[in-house]
Structure formats: structure tokens, C-alpha cells
Amino acid sequence: MKPINETTNNRVSHTFQPIYNMNSTILILGTFPSVKSRETQFYYGHPQNRFWKVIAGVFQCEIPQTNEEKKQMLFDNNIALWDVIESCDIVGSSDSSIQNVIANDLGMILNNSNIKKIYANGKTAAKLYEKYTESVTKKPIITLPSTSPANAAYRLEQLVDTWGLIDIKKSNNL
């Protein structure tokens, strides 16, 4: 793998697969993997990203440490995880620098799972989904605040509270 230049625009492709199974009812979409996630070849790999802490907080479980524990937590809570973008031009991890987008084909997830709702991890993911994908899927997206460390407006507790609406069991009063 060639080194990632964090100061110039690079054409980059998504290199790891979505996480889902036939029981997935929730799809969470990010924009595109960060530099750290691309290096580790797994979602939300930057230690300051709060995604795994937020999901653990919503579902009241231990914060997963390994990639296998992270996958298991997603499966245990019927969550599918992927990104809107398959490839783009990007500077480092900056969503604001994204250009020349090719969107991921969500058909493989939607056709092989039981997705009821789609959520965006942040406004940029939602905007990109609406621009490139919603007309194909015909499914709306619900925007949640980004778990990125760049989103300093939200403390961890606020993120957990806001993200709590992904808990379909609670939201359906089951």
C-alpha cells in the first residue's frame, strides 16, 4: 500500500468490505474512511473517534477493543456499517475536501438484510447519500451528529443520547 499524503488531494478507493448480515435492520453510513481507518483497514480506526463508545453507550454494552468484538457488537444489535463513498479525491481525512465521488452500491446490503432505517454519521454523509444514492435506494436517511473528534460541539454523553434513536427496540417500545 502506498503511503497516504495528508496534505495533497489523492484519488483513494475504499478497500474494506461492509459489515452486515441478514439480521441487520439498521444501516449506519459514514462518508469515507479516515487515514487511520484506511491504515488499519477497519471502520472508525482513529482512537479519538467516538463511534465505538457511542454504540456501546446506546446499547449498554462493553466498549469493544478488537475488530472481532466490534463486528460482534454490531451483529448483536442488528447494525450494518458502511460508507457512502467507494472512491473519491480527498486530502487526508477531510470530508470538506472530498471531490469526484463514486458512490458505493448499497444493493448488496439492502438485498441481503432486513434494513428498516438508514442513518448518517454526520451531515456530510447525509448530503452525499442524498446526492448520489437516495434516488437509487428510494430510502430516506436520518442524520445523526458526527462521532468524529472534529465535532467538538457534542460531548460523548450528548452523542449517546442523540444516537439513542437507533435502538429500534426502544424506539418501538418493544
Side-chain angles (χ1 to χ4, degrees):
M1 180 182 340
K2 76 177 190 177
I4 297 167
N5 186 328
E6 294 192 40
T7 58
T8 60
N9 215 359
N10 291 295
R11 183 77 190 167
V12 185
S13 293
H14 205 301
T15 57
F16 44 100
Q17 294 299 307
I19 299 170
Y20 70 99
N21 64 22
M22 61 188 239
N23 298 317
S24 299
T25 57
I26 299 163
L27 173 57
I28 299 173
L29 294 171
T31 52
F32 189 76
S34 69
V35 169
K36 192 68 173 167
S37 295
R38 295 189 310 260
E39 288 172 359
T40 63
Q41 290 292 290
F42 202 76
Y43 297 92
Y44 304 103
H46 193 289
Q48 298 303 311
N49 193 296
R50 298 166 289 178
F51 180 82
W52 299 109
K53 290 177 184 175
V54 168
I55 300 300
V58 167
F59 292 98
Q60 300 175 356
C61 53
E62 293 292 319
I63 298 169
Q65 302 302 311
T66 67
N67 291 347
E68 282 309 310
E69 289 174 354
K70 292 171 182 177
K71 283 182 189 179
Q72 192 59 54
M73 181 174 69
L74 295 174
F75 291 149
D76 289 348
N77 293 291
N78 301 321
I79 298 172
L81 187 60
W82 209 12
D83 291 305
V84 175
I85 299 174
E86 186 280 322
S87 64
C88 64
D89 295 336
I90 188 169
V91 176
S93 300
S94 173
D95 281 359
S96 64
S97 73
I98 292 172
Q99 297 177 349
N100 302 316
V101 168
I102 295 177
N104 270 317
D105 178 0
L106 300 182
M108 105 168 78
I109 294 176
L110 298 176
N111 296 332
N112 295 292
S113 65
N114 194 23
I115 299 299
K116 304 277 188 242
K117 293 191 177 183
I118 301 174
Y119 296 93
N121 186 352
K123 292 178 186 173
T124 303
K127 287 177 186 171
L128 290 165
Y129 174 88
E130 289 165 349
K131 181 175 181 176
Y132 295 103
T133 308
E134 190 170 36
S135 63
V136 176
T137 66
K138 308 287 191 241
K139 291 182 179 284
I141 194 162
I142 300 163
T143 307
L144 294 169
S146 174
T147 61
S148 167
N151 182 10
Y154 279 81
R155 293 184 332 271
L156 178 61
E157 299 78 23
Q158 292 171 299
L159 287 170
V160 171
D161 286 345
T162 306
W163 277 67
L165 67 95
I166 69 169
D167 188 342
I168 290 177
K169 292 174 193 147
K170 285 182 187 173
S171 65
N172 288 337
N173 295 320
L174 297 177

